Amino acid sequence: MDDLLELLRAGLPAEALITDPDITASYANDMASFCEAGAPAVVTLPRTVEQVQHIMRTATALRVPVVPQGARTGLSGAANASDGCIVLSLVKMDRILEISPVDRIAVVEPGVINAVLSRAVNEHGLYYPPDPSSWEMCTIGGNIGTASGGLCCVKYGVTAEYVLGLDVVLADGRLLTTGRRTAKGVAGYDLTRLFVGSEGSLGIVVKAVLALKPQPPRQLVLAAEFPSAASACDAICRIMERGHTPSLLELMDRTTVHAVNTMANMGLPDSTEALLLAAFDTPDPTADLAAVAALCTAAGATEVVPAEDAAESEMLLQARRMSLTALETVKPATMIDDVCVPRSQLGAMLEGTAAVARKYDLTIGVCAHAGDGNTHPVVCFDPADADESRRARESFDEIMALGLELGGTITGEHGVGVLKKEWLARELGEVSVELHRGIKQAFDPLGLLNPGKVF
């Protein structure tokens, strides 16, 4: 420990090192349940690339594991510390280095908050689409690490589609530049895409070149109430089959709607079995909403209410954004699943999840990025109740198994981390796992980067 601190101090200012165990303990974990976390030896808060390189050279010299962290809003345990590790928090590297309206790119450090970047590019008439529900807190580096998504994915795609290039500090302290600033580029293997979603297991992202789009018109939102989840999913299939491209298509089940109403008095229809939110940011959103309203009615919607203006639209979106927070008030703890299935299987996914809730006698609310089939079943439980905790974990696993059976994936945007690494091999298969481990060995031969995560 003394050697570690001595070497770190040689290249870091005093304020970039935290050794007080009461404070380092607060960096031990992210927001996931049922994920083990260790006690870090030290927390580092670098502000420069050179400082990150010094930390990694020190870690390599002393064979000390390193756990990269952003805002720790993750939901898979990917940012959880291991015993004796160096926590490398990147939140102080929070500068927007460049915004280019001509090239339609932003160049940022990893600690930039998603919402801060979004508002900054808006001032230039530009738009950074990825918008996780935690966008007011989560960092771009964390978004890149987990390949996160958001509400707008149905039209604009996920984080991976906006990362053009990266500067990455490797395990031995070398600086790697990947990708490009250009709209096109196919030179070499796509190492940029390899780092996106790698959860800090291959290198430390210290700079990102992000693609931007022209800022679209303000979107208008429609809310449709359904008597069953099946009829809501039927409407979703009709909307996509007819070729509509909503900027948002979100689903909240009855449990979620009730939780939001209880927490915030949003005035949502508490009697609904499923609430579908659709939005368009086209030049004439009212026409698009009218077409979708007709499809919802044909699928069995009992009430369809289009928002009259941007303010009313934002109120409906706030209800969706607070879904996870509201479900956290139902019980002392939650496990948030992240199963993505083909849109055609969305109804079966929701029906199966409801059956799991009945089987294990648990409250499980579902909110979903319905337009891309990404469901978030939220298992509510009391960790002080051993039997209920056991049932929660078993139900979580059963929901993931259901997703795979329906042709889906165990994670659409939250990542693997600690929570789902046992399931990763089931999804990937033996050959793929072998290749993944070979890639990990090539980038991190000593196994120092985020050990115990993903694999």
Side-chain angles (χ1 to χ4, degrees):
M1 179 67 171
D2 290 341
D3 289 345
L4 173 62
L5 293 179
E6 182 179 352
L7 282 177
L8 287 174
R9 288 187 180 114
L12 295 175
E15 64 270 16
L17 282 172
I18 301 174
T19 57
D20 184 331
D22 291 333
I23 300 176
T24 59
S26 68
Y27 286 82
N29 55 273
D30 62 18
M31 298 177 70
S33 299
F34 287 111
C35 293
E36 292 183 0
V42 60
V43 172
T44 58
L45 296 160
R47 290 183 179 271
T48 68
V49 174
E50 292 75 19
Q51 289 174 4
V52 175
Q53 291 180 283
H54 175 71
I55 293 166
M56 293 312 306
R57 289 176 185 133
T58 299
T60 295
L62 297 180
R63 304 299 194 263
V64 179
V66 176
V67 176
Q69 289 184 352
R72 292 181 289 112
T73 57
L75 295 164
S76 66
N80 283 14
S82 54
D83 283 332
C85 76
I86 300 170
V87 163
L88 202 167
S89 173
L90 295 152
V91 295
K92 299 296 185 182
M93 297 181 68
D94 60 356
R95 294 180 299 161
I96 298 174
L97 302 173
E98 179 186 354
I99 296 173
S100 173
V102 174
D103 294 328
R104 292 183 181 172
I105 61 169
V107 182
V108 305
E109 292 183 327
V112 173
I113 301 295
N114 184 295
V116 171
L117 174 63
S118 296
R119 293 179 183 125
V121 302
N122 287 166
E123 294 178 3
H124 295 267
L126 297 170
Y127 177 43
Y128 180 66
D131 63 340
S133 294
S134 59
W135 77 310
E136 294 280 7
M137 299 177 288
C138 63
T139 63
I140 295 298
N143 293 169
I144 291 170
T146 59
S148 60
L151 305 188
C152 70
C153 296
V154 60
K155 180 174 182 178
Y156 293 105
V158 297
T159 296
E161 294 167 65
Y162 293 88
V163 183
L164 298 177
L166 297 169
D167 279 5
V168 182
V169 174
L170 299 177
D172 59 8
R174 289 179 296 165
L175 182 64
L176 169 70
T177 296
T178 76
R180 61 197 191 279
R181 292 170 57 99
T182 56
K184 294 179 180 178
V186 292
Y189 296 132
D190 191 351
L191 296 183
T192 302
R193 199 66 177 254
L194 185 61
F195 282 104
V196 179
S198 65
E199 301 182 41
S201 65
L202 300 179
I204 312 296
V205 172
V206 290
K207 186 171 75 174
V209 181
L210 305 174
L212 305 174
K213 290 186 175 295
Q215 189 171 6
R218 293 291 295 271
Q219 63 183 2
L220 284 181
V221 179
L222 168 150
E225 179 182 356
F226 290 88
S228 68
S231 58
C233 292
D234 180 29
I236 292 161
C237 291
R238 292 174 188 237
I239 292 167
M240 302 308 293
E241 184 180 26
R242 296 295 178 89
H244 293 287
T245 309
S247 55
L248 172 148
L249 194 58
E250 297 288 310
L251 181 69
M252 300 162 63
D253 74 351
R254 178 174 184 161
T255 300
T256 306
V257 170
H258 178 74
V260 170
N261 271 345
T262 300
M263 185 181 79
N265 297 315
M266 294 292 292
L268 296 173
D270 207 26
S271 61
T272 187
E273 292 297 322
L275 185 70
L276 184 65
L277 301 177
F280 286 88
D281 57 6
T282 53
D284 185 12
T286 55
D288 292 305
L289 289 181
V292 166
L295 293 174
C296 288
T297 301
T302 54
E303 188 172 3
V304 181
V305 181
E308 294 184 359
D309 53 32
E312 190 173 345
S313 294
E314 183 57 30
M315 184 197 74
L316 290 170
L317 294 186
Q318 281 298 105
R320 170 61 185 88
R321 287 188 186 279
M322 67 175 62
S323 293
L324 299 182
T325 302
L327 287 166
E328 288 172 354
T329 67
V330 174
K331 287 277 188 169
T334 58
M335 290 189 74
I336 304 173
D337 221 322
D338 175 37
V339 175
C340 191
V341 296
R343 296 184 194 99
S344 58
Q345 297 296 327
L346 192 57
M349 184 68 202
L350 266 68
E351 182 179 339
T353 300
V356 170
R358 292 191 295 270
K359 174 181 175 180
Y360 289 96
D361 190 24
L362 292 167
T363 297
I364 303 178
V366 180
C367 52
H369 307 309
D372 52 24
N374 195 176
T375 68
H376 294 312
V378 181
V379 182
C380 306
F381 68 101
D382 183 356
D385 184 326
D387 183 66
E388 190 165 273
S389 294
R390 174 191 58 80
R391 287 183 280 125
R393 182 71 217 213
E394 290 178 6
S395 71
F396 184 88
D397 287 343
E398 195 158 319
I399 290 168
M400 284 195 289
L402 172 64
L404 293 180
E405 289 169 11
L406 295 174
T409 174
I410 59 170
T411 175
E413 58 185 359
H414 291 172
V416 175
V418 177
L419 190 61
K420 297 185 176 185
K421 67 177 185 176
E422 293 178 7
W423 281 88
L424 186 61
R426 304 191 199 188
E427 176 172 336
L428 296 183
E430 183 177 344
V431 174
S432 182
V433 168
E434 182 180 346
L435 289 172
H436 275 72
R437 287 177 173 157
I439 292 169
K440 168 70 170 174
Q441 175 69 19
F443 280 91
D444 181 23
L446 298 177
L448 299 180
L449 285 169
N450 224 2
K453 316 294 170 51
V454 187
F455 292 105

